[in-house]
Amino acid sequence: MRFSMASVAGQWSRAVGLCVTVLLFDVAFCRGFVQDLDESFKDNRKDDIWLVDFYAPWCGHCKKLEPVWNEVGFEMKSIGSPVKVGKMDATSYSSLASEFGVRGYPTIKLLKGDLAYNYRGPRTKDDIIEFAHRVSGALIRPLPSQQMFEHVKKRHRVFFVYIGGESPLKEKYIDAASELIVYTYFFSALEEVVPEYVTLKEMPAVLVFKDETYFVYDEYEDGDLSAWISRERFQNYLTMDGFLLYELGDTGKLVAIAVIDEKNTSIEHTRLKSVIQEVAKDYRDHFHRDFQFGHMDGNDYINTLLMDELTIPTVVVLNTSNQQYYLLDRQINNAKDMVQFINNILDGTVEAQGGDSIWQRLKRIVFDAKSTVVSIFKSSPLMGCFLFGLPLGVISIMCYGIYTADTDGGYIEERYEVVSKSEMEAQQQIESKEQQEPRRGESLVPTVQEPKDVLEKKTD
């Protein structure tokens, strides 16, 4: 029995060792497809397309990105992508990193000729690779047939299409694409390639396809083309998080969010989510210019954003451009109630809360400081006591020392004054006694003053 247990233990240790060896080999293998870049990269890069991670050795987020970046390098190499993957220590080559506009760590850039594109999406392998494919290819991709059009539609959730020939609108479309290619895909097609279900009132036109439908750009109602593309590059209904809300701040839209607990299957939680989805789908023609819809799991981020405690499930409407928000003023039982609530927001009946006033900014500073202290004590009480208890203890000791020093000084000074006064009184008594006692050799009989004429005679 002992032999069998030892044998099992030996096999287990060998298996663990083999797994560790394979893991280390896999990491080293993937790392081999990411090139370490130095100052020579500035002169050698323009002949190729590069996807570069500018990092700092001490940065925690950079260390977290490293294994993902190694997988990106391996994947790009295995699929035969023309994009080369590299990384540069921005602290060792700070002047070169500054030339590329690196301001923080990690910074991911795709370098294509004289152009540099910043990546601002989630730091996952699939999202980074999608970004590299989109930006490294043609700025505007042609759609030569309806089959290709349907293929693109199945592959991409949101994409933009210019339909028509050469025109001033196409020039604006190209300018917008050069700026926003980091976010979405841009295509062009002739009118005969467009599916039959697409109805166009005039040509040329710019369309966005998303949510199993399409919307046509109207210069009179939608304003600037780039601003319209920036607003419409999101699906109408999304699963919200902090990063996505930050991105939605550039759209200028109000964001209606059902704040729920996805693990809670009660009717209240599922009903609010279904109501928001129904409004987003059935009323998209009414609200897609002004509203974005979605749901968020949990209220932690919303509470931090609003500096308040929201009871879930609930609905909150955020204006991410100026930090204002709207809370429910009624019970939401169906889509009709939600539509009425949205209409009241648009006509100003529902009062906006929050904002970016000076008072709100001061409140934000206090709230962030309080949240930081509480989070430190919750995560590590000993560290919290060390960080905040030690300085308070030192300050208390200093204050006590100053107070006691003042008290002792006053006592000493007062005692010195008292002693000095006593000595002065004793000295005066001694002097008075000396004046009263006759000097040695002098007569005790008082001296009698002689008359003035006698004194004159003596002088003669």
Side-chain angles (χ1 to χ4, degrees):
M1 186 68 179
R2 290 180 180 176
F3 177 77
S4 62
M5 291 294 294
S7 177
V8 171
Q11 292 178 359
W12 174 255
S13 63
R14 285 193 295 272
V16 172
L18 180 61
C19 291
V20 172
T21 303
V22 171
L23 180 61
L24 293 176
F25 175 78
D26 185 55
V27 171
F29 182 74
C30 292
R31 188 178 298 171
F33 296 100
V34 177
Q35 299 186 34
D36 287 306
L37 307 176
D38 54 25
E39 64 274 358
S40 63
F41 175 69
K42 179 180 179 180
D43 299 324
N44 301 331
R45 72 174 184 85
K46 292 187 178 180
D47 294 333
D48 300 299
I49 302 175
W50 282 90
L51 184 65
V52 183
D53 168 31
F54 294 90
Y55 71 95
W58 45 261
C59 171
H61 295 291
C62 301
K63 294 177 181 179
K64 187 177 180 180
L65 177 64
E66 184 178 4
V68 176
W69 198 249
N70 293 331
E71 293 179 4
V72 169
F74 172 72
E75 185 73 16
M76 298 293 281
K77 188 69 174 180
S78 63
I79 63 178
S81 173
V83 179
K84 294 184 177 181
V85 181
K87 62 179 181 179
M88 177 180 289
D89 183 352
T91 59
S92 299
Y93 308 102
S94 57
S95 59
L96 186 56
S98 298
E99 291 184 22
F100 289 116
V102 176
R103 298 292 182 268
Y105 311 114
T107 295
I108 299 174
K109 286 179 176 285
L110 188 135
L111 306 175
K112 182 180 177 182
D114 294 328
L115 301 176
Y117 298 93
N118 288 329
Y119 175 71
R120 299 176 181 175
R123 295 180 185 133
T124 63
K125 183 190 74 172
D126 293 338
D127 289 305
I128 294 174
I129 291 175
E130 176 71 12
F131 164 79
H133 288 331
R134 182 172 63 249
V135 179
S136 62
L139 184 64
I140 299 177
R141 294 168 166 85
L143 296 177
S145 63
Q146 288 191 2
Q147 290 79 4
M148 181 61 72
F149 195 101
E150 293 299 328
H151 173 74
V152 168
K153 184 179 177 182
K154 292 178 181 179
R155 183 176 179 183
H156 302 296
R157 296 177 180 178
V158 180
F159 64 96
F160 294 83
V161 181
Y162 171 84
I163 301 174
E166 298 297 327
S167 68
L169 180 60
K170 186 174 183 179
E171 295 178 0
K172 294 180 181 179
Y173 184 71
I174 294 173
D175 292 339
S178 62
E179 177 186 355
L180 301 172
I181 187 64
V182 295
Y183 299 115
T184 187
Y185 283 91
F186 294 88
F187 297 91
S188 65
L190 298 177
E191 187 176 1
E192 55 268 21
V193 176
V194 179
E196 296 179 356
Y197 60 82
V198 176
T199 303
L200 298 176
K201 297 180 179 179
E202 59 182 10
M203 294 285 295
V206 177
L207 292 75
V208 57
F209 289 83
K210 63 178 182 179
D211 302 322
E212 300 180 355
T213 186
Y214 67 93
F215 301 97
V216 182
Y217 167 69
D218 187 327
E219 185 175 5
Y220 178 75
E221 293 187 4
D222 298 317
D224 181 67
L225 179 60
S226 294
W228 177 77
I229 292 175
S230 182
R231 291 195 302 269
E232 297 297 332
R233 62 187 177 90
F234 299 98
Q235 291 179 280
N236 201 32
Y237 185 91
L238 298 165
T239 301
M240 300 291 177
D241 56 19
F243 175 80
L244 190 54
L245 285 177
Y246 175 79
E247 289 291 309
L248 288 171
D250 296 332
T251 66
K253 290 184 177 182
L254 299 176
V255 186
I257 306 174
V259 186
I260 61 173
D261 182 2
E262 290 190 321
K263 296 180 181 178
N264 192 326
T265 58
S266 63
I267 297 176
E268 290 80 5
H269 289 260
T270 57
R271 177 173 52 81
L272 275 183
K273 180 179 177 180
S274 300
V275 166
I276 294 292
Q277 288 175 332
E278 183 180 351
V279 172
K281 181 179 179 181
D282 296 343
Y283 294 86
R284 71 178 109 205
D285 293 336
H286 296 82
F287 299 131
H288 83 274
R289 283 188 171 91
D290 301 310
F291 275 85
Q292 187 74 44
F293 298 92
H295 75 274
M296 177 175 284
D297 182 20
N299 61 348
D300 293 338
Y301 183 83
I302 291 293
N303 288 343
T304 302
L305 196 64
L306 273 56
M307 296 180 288
D308 197 0
E309 287 287 338
L310 291 184
T311 303
I312 57 174
T314 188
V315 173
V316 59
V317 177
L318 301 176
N319 187 340
T320 55
S321 61
N322 61 8
Q323 305 301 319
Q324 289 184 341
Y325 61 92
Y326 303 85
L327 300 178
L328 288 178
D329 60 350
R330 71 200 70 205
Q331 181 71 26
I332 302 296
N333 296 315
N334 48 46
K336 184 178 179 181
D337 294 335
M338 187 65 203
V339 170
Q340 184 63 42
F341 177 60
I342 291 175
N343 287 328
N344 289 345
I345 291 176
L346 294 176
D347 62 26
T349 306
V350 180
E351 182 181 359
Q353 303 183 43
D356 55 358
S357 63
I358 296 178
W359 166 247
Q360 288 294 326
R361 293 177 185 179
L362 293 175
K363 185 179 178 182
R364 168 63 61 185
I365 293 173
V366 175
F367 179 84
D368 290 342
K370 178 182 176 182
S371 301
T372 301
V373 173
V374 172
S375 63
I376 290 175
F377 274 99
K378 283 185 177 180
S379 60
S380 179
L382 293 178
M383 180 63 71
C385 293
F386 177 78
L387 291 176
F388 298 100
L390 183 61
L392 290 175
V394 172
I395 294 174
S396 300
I397 293 173
M398 292 176 61
C399 293
Y400 177 77
I402 294 172
Y403 174 77
T404 54
D406 288 341
T407 304
D408 292 343
Y411 171 74
I412 293 171
E413 184 179 358
E414 182 180 358
R415 184 179 63 184
Y416 176 77
E417 290 178 355
V418 172
V419 172
S420 300
K421 186 176 180 181
S422 302
E423 291 179 353
M424 289 177 64
E425 292 178 352
Q427 183 68 23
Q428 290 176 357
Q429 292 178 0
I430 293 173
E431 290 178 355
S432 61
K433 288 181 179 180
E434 288 179 352
Q435 292 176 359
Q436 293 177 2
E437 292 179 358
R439 297 179 180 178
R440 291 182 180 182
E442 292 183 355
S443 174
L444 295 176
V445 179
T447 305
V448 179
Q449 187 175 3
E450 295 181 358
K452 183 177 181 181
D453 55 344
V454 176
L455 291 175
E456 293 178 351
K457 289 181 179 181
K458 288 181 178 181
T459 301
D460 295 337

